[in-house]
Amino acid sequence: MAIIETEATLHEAHRDNHTHRDVNGGWLRPAVFGAMDGLVSNLALMTGVAGGAAGQHTVVLSGLAGLAAGAFSMAAGEYTSVASQRELVEAELDVERRQLRKHPKDEEAELAALYESRGVEPRLAQEVARQLSKDPEQALEIHAREELGIDPGDLPSPTVAAVSSFGSFALGALIPVLPYLLGASSMWPAVLLALLGLFLCGAVVARVTARTWWYSGLRQLFLGGAAAGVTYALGTLFGTAVG
């Protein structure tokens, strides 16, 4: 009987032990969206140029130029954005570090008050804050997490962000150009491959959402296809007007 009750208890504990999705998406989300951005923008660029009755050479050249320009633009923008964010965080950490050095008791009382506001008993909150404040670096880390919502030891790297943005965008932008580089003489193979890539990117995104893979894939296929269709129509219109 005791064994049965123990097994039942373990089964109940196992059933209550649940996991959650990675709501931040980790590396997968920015990588997939970077590739998707490159794919949609370059497909739209190439279809717009093709709609203007441009020759194959011009369409391929525009695709390669769009790949290079977009990838470098993404890398530069991502580097500047992450570097600026990191500099801001480091400046705030310096402010917190000076406060801990000049007013340690005030910072300890601030930490205790924070724990009290979350339901910890006053005496226990004060004792926890006192013990955590013994190590200045540990105190800085705790204050940074509680007050700024950041981890001082896990700041993003501008270089990594720039390189990953460059690579993912270039990979996506290469897809509509690839059929031409392999010998295609019309736009249709590039469009079909790009639409397949859009569907696959959307399906992969479903890993970090609550949607089914086919819904995410079809949604991205529709949005990317619509962007390509609109730019093709605009290219045709402008080509006729300029011609």
Side-chain angles (χ1 to χ4, degrees):
M1 179 63 70
I3 295 177
I4 296 176
E5 290 178 353
T6 302
E7 290 179 349
T9 302
L10 291 174
H11 177 73
E12 186 68 23
H14 177 73
R15 187 176 63 181
D16 291 339
N17 183 22
H18 61 283
T19 58
H20 293 283
R21 294 175 182 266
D22 180 3
V23 295
N24 293 319
W27 61 268
L28 179 64
R29 186 177 184 276
V32 172
F33 276 98
M36 197 180 298
D37 189 15
L39 177 52
V40 172
S41 62
N42 218 28
L43 173 63
L45 172 63
M46 293 174 65
T47 53
V49 173
Q56 176 183 342
H57 177 75
T58 304
V59 174
V60 175
L61 184 60
S62 66
L64 292 174
L67 185 157
F72 280 112
S73 176
M74 285 286 291
E78 195 69 14
Y79 184 92
T80 302
S81 174
V82 174
S84 300
Q85 179 186 10
R86 185 182 179 112
E87 290 165 0
L88 175 61
V89 169
E90 289 175 342
E92 292 300 314
L93 288 175
D94 286 339
V95 171
E96 192 64 36
R97 189 177 287 108
R98 287 196 299 271
Q99 291 298 316
L100 286 168
R101 185 173 61 252
K102 293 180 179 179
H103 310 288
K105 291 300 181 182
D106 292 340
E107 291 298 309
E108 181 181 320
E110 182 180 332
L111 190 61
L114 177 65
Y115 290 141
E116 285 184 43
S117 68
R118 295 183 176 178
V120 180
E121 295 180 357
R123 291 183 61 184
L124 179 58
Q126 292 171 10
E127 179 62 20
V128 171
R130 185 187 66 80
Q131 293 189 25
L132 293 177
S133 300
K134 289 180 178 179
D135 183 355
E137 287 303 315
Q138 178 178 257
L140 175 64
E141 182 177 333
I142 294 172
H143 279 275
R145 287 178 176 174
E146 297 292 348
E147 298 177 23
L148 303 175
I150 59 174
D151 184 353
D154 191 27
L155 298 182
S157 168
T159 302
V160 172
V163 171
S164 60
S165 295
F166 182 95
S168 60
F169 185 96
L171 180 62
L174 178 64
I175 293 177
V177 184
L178 192 59
Y180 284 104
L181 300 180
L182 295 177
S185 57
S186 68
M187 190 68 193
W188 283 112
V191 171
L192 293 176
L193 182 61
L195 293 178
L196 176 61
L198 286 169
F199 180 83
L200 292 177
C201 283
V204 172
V205 169
R207 291 191 57 183
V208 293
T209 68
R211 294 291 187 179
T212 57
W213 64 270
W214 58 266
Y215 176 88
S216 295
L218 290 176
R219 179 174 59 183
Q220 193 56 43
L221 174 64
F222 172 78
L223 293 175
V230 170
T231 52
Y232 181 85
L234 292 174
T236 302
L237 178 63
F238 295 151
T240 303
V242 173

